[in-house]
Amino acid sequence: MTPTRLLLALLVFPGVLYAVPMGWLMQASERKVVARLQGRIGPPLTQGFYDFVKLLAKAPVPRAEPFLLTLLPLLAVGATLGALALLPVWTGGFTGDLILFVGLLELAPLCAVLAGFASRSVYGEVGAVREAVLGISVNVPFLAALLALATASGSLQLAQVAGGAPWLVRGPALAALLCCLPVKLRLNPFSVANAEQEILAGPLTEFDGPRLALWELAHGLEWVVLAGLVASLAVPGRGVAFVLVSLAVVPLLGTLAAATARLKINQAARFLWTWAALAAAASVFAALAIRHGRL
Amino acid sequence: MGVLEPLVLRLVDRARRKSAWLFHFNAGACNGCDIELVACLTPRYDVEQLGIRLEGSPRHADILCVTGPVTRTTREALATIHAQIPDPKVVVAIGSCPASGNVFAGSPMIDGPLDRIVPVDLYIPGCPPRPGAVVQGIAEAIELLVARKEAV
């Protein structure tokens, strides 16, 4: 991957120019899907953009607080953008970019956990603990599925991982990843960590104005990168198919969110440790069997 | 900002009009007004189509909706929460209790009416007000919010 291409990937597609409006669109359309299923009209598709501008134009209440609270949302946005740039929509990439991708992708939830603790609010801390517990539960099947794909394709390069694995591995791996998606996006029934109203706003309770806008932006980017990961694994390639499959993930998650109520944290963890882990384990076994020539 | 400044200001006004987030504070209400406020989110009234959202944290909010006559135990919390909402903000008193104390007026347990504790921008009368009245009140509150020019 040449520096120009990397810069294009970071700033144009699938980076800033594509991902920021796409993140707003995805968040708004998820709310729209939920609203339609509840017999409501729901917010306009431009809602994410207006929310962002309004939050940027608010004046935070001045108070003594660590610089960390500004740094963490910035880091979350930056890391998620980095993960986006590594998505294999441009053929290429470099050896081992899967590892960097996972590392960058996981930085935003980690920042949210830290933000919850650093804000020193009771609700923030409860939210951070929940985020951390769910983070551990969700990452076991998530990473196992990615490892299975890497094993089956014999590569740690996202572009080859996406195209290289046979469907016997890719099917269960995608199922496991799809199970992980609502958890990572904090949607019903896994909205345990942000748990709006129940614990105020979870780790983000103490964030206001521009800093909250950054968190919302990071969240929108997480939507794009996770939907994009599923899309690039389901239909390797670039361009229209990538965008369309990314968008197709939204009504799926919206329907699930509208059809379910929030689980308790132990129920959510149990679901992940049984069903998501089962799908991930199936993909790992299939990958190992193929690698050793038994299938 | 130069040439872009009027454009940015118009954009901010538009965003504020289309994305008002509420924080609901129960200052000792009987739950009547609270139910009517929540009814605005249901399919029949659906204020979410105006970009309105009920937020869990006062720091995320634009409009503070207060119900109840402000009892002695809620007074301090109310003042704290009002101070934590970033500018620009609007305070809406929902129902008769925050406006006058209603049937609780004169009770030693009441520190209200609301305007003795925080400045009130808008009153929605009724015991309780119908959801239609609450929606109209919030729409007017949004116009007040846009008219505030702080913090652009």
Side-chain angles (χ1 to χ4, degrees):
Chain A
M1 217 180 208
T2 59
T4 355
R5 270 209 163 172
L6 199 62
L7 211 61
L8 270 179
L10 190 64
L11 295 179
V12 184
F13 183 81
V16 181
L17 211 62
Y18 161 79
V20 172
M22 196 62 171
W24 290 330
L25 179 68
M26 281 180 166
Q27 281 178 305
S29 32
E30 188 265 335
R31 281 171 70 183
K32 190 95 185 163
V33 169
V34 172
R36 293 308 302 174
L37 288 171
Q38 291 174 346
R40 298 185 287 118
I41 292 175
L45 291 178
T46 44
Q47 192 59 49
F49 169 68
Y50 287 127
D51 287 349
F52 183 74
V53 174
K54 179 210 71 179
L55 285 173
L56 270 191
K58 292 215 77 159
V61 180
R63 56 181 187 276
E65 60 187 3
F67 173 64
L68 196 63
L69 292 194
T70 313
L71 190 70
L72 284 170
L74 274 175
L75 193 62
V77 170
T80 315
L81 267 179
L84 258 167
L86 292 176
L87 279 180
V89 276
W90 304 82
T91 43
F94 47 87
T95 317
D97 61 1
L98 179 68
I99 295 167
L100 184 60
F101 175 81
V102 170
L104 286 172
L105 187 64
E106 281 317 304
L107 219 53
L110 195 66
C111 284
V113 173
L114 283 178
F117 282 115
S119 66
R120 302 182 62 92
S121 138
V122 190
Y123 304 103
E125 285 177 16
V126 173
V129 169
R130 291 181 178 192
E131 176 90 38
V133 170
L134 272 192
I136 292 167
S137 309
V138 76
N139 273 329
V140 171
F142 188 78
L143 294 182
L146 286 181
L147 274 180
L149 289 169
T151 312
S153 60
S155 166
L156 280 174
Q157 194 170 338
L158 263 170
Q160 275 158 36
V161 168
W167 273 105
L168 196 61
V169 182
R170 245 203 280 174
L174 271 175
L177 292 183
L178 276 174
C179 284
C180 297
L181 236 53
V183 189
K184 287 187 169 275
L185 294 171
R186 305 172 192 87
L187 294 172
N188 264 352
F190 300 104
S191 57
V192 187
N194 52 338
E196 72 277 5
Q197 307 290 335
E198 181 192 327
I199 48 169
L200 301 194
L204 307 185
T205 300
E206 298 290 329
F207 287 84
D208 52 2
R211 274 173 299 204
L212 184 63
L214 283 177
W215 278 119
E216 294 271 322
L217 184 65
H219 194 45
L221 293 175
E222 275 183 285
W223 266 93
V224 182
V225 67
L226 285 167
L229 178 68
V230 170
S232 56
L233 291 178
V235 280
R238 63 182 110 159
V240 187
F242 171 79
V243 178
L244 287 182
V245 177
S246 294
L247 279 175
V249 173
V250 179
L252 211 65
L253 294 178
T255 311
L256 178 73
T260 50
R262 186 177 303 143
L263 292 172
K264 289 188 213 162
I265 188 159
N266 56 336
Q267 295 168 322
R270 191 183 304 139
F271 174 88
L272 290 168
W273 283 101
T274 39
W275 299 110
L278 208 64
S283 67
V284 169
F285 282 128
L288 286 176
I290 286 171
R291 196 178 172 103
H292 294 290
R294 301 289 165 83
L295 264 174
Chain B
M1 282 186 281
V3 201
L4 282 176
E5 195 169 342
L7 266 178
V8 172
L9 290 181
R10 266 179 58 194
L11 179 66
V12 167
D13 278 357
R14 200 174 159 77
R16 282 182 181 162
R17 189 168 283 129
K18 289 195 163 247
S19 152
W21 292 359
L22 314 182
F23 183 79
H24 170 214
F25 186 87
N26 180 330
C30 71
N31 220 21
C33 298
D34 311 275
I35 289 171
E36 302 304 322
L37 177 63
V38 176
C40 298
L41 303 170
T42 55
R44 182 178 280 271
Y45 298 98
D46 186 28
V47 287
E48 201 188 0
Q49 59 186 289
L50 306 175
I52 294 168
R53 220 160 84 170
L54 208 54
E55 274 295 320
S57 164
R59 290 200 200 280
H60 301 186
D62 303 295
I63 298 176
L64 175 63
C65 297
V66 184
T67 55
V70 191
T71 56
R72 280 161 65 179
T73 42
T74 56
R75 178 195 183 135
E76 212 172 310
L78 176 64
T80 313
I81 278 179
H82 179 261
Q84 283 178 352
I85 299 178
D87 281 330
K89 60 187 163 194
V90 170
V91 179
V92 180
I94 295 180
S96 302
C97 286
S100 64
N102 207 2
V103 293
F104 307 105
S107 160
M109 303 306 157
I110 299 302
D111 272 355
L114 179 61
D115 57 8
R116 280 170 59 186
I117 292 101
V118 296
V120 182
D121 298 286
L122 200 94
Y123 293 94
I124 303 174
C127 184
R130 294 177 65 87
V134 177
V135 174
Q136 188 190 357
I138 289 169
E140 283 172 28
I142 291 174
E143 288 310 313
L144 289 177
L145 187 76
V146 177
R148 301 262 150 100
K149 293 298 178 194
E150 298 125 325
V152 176

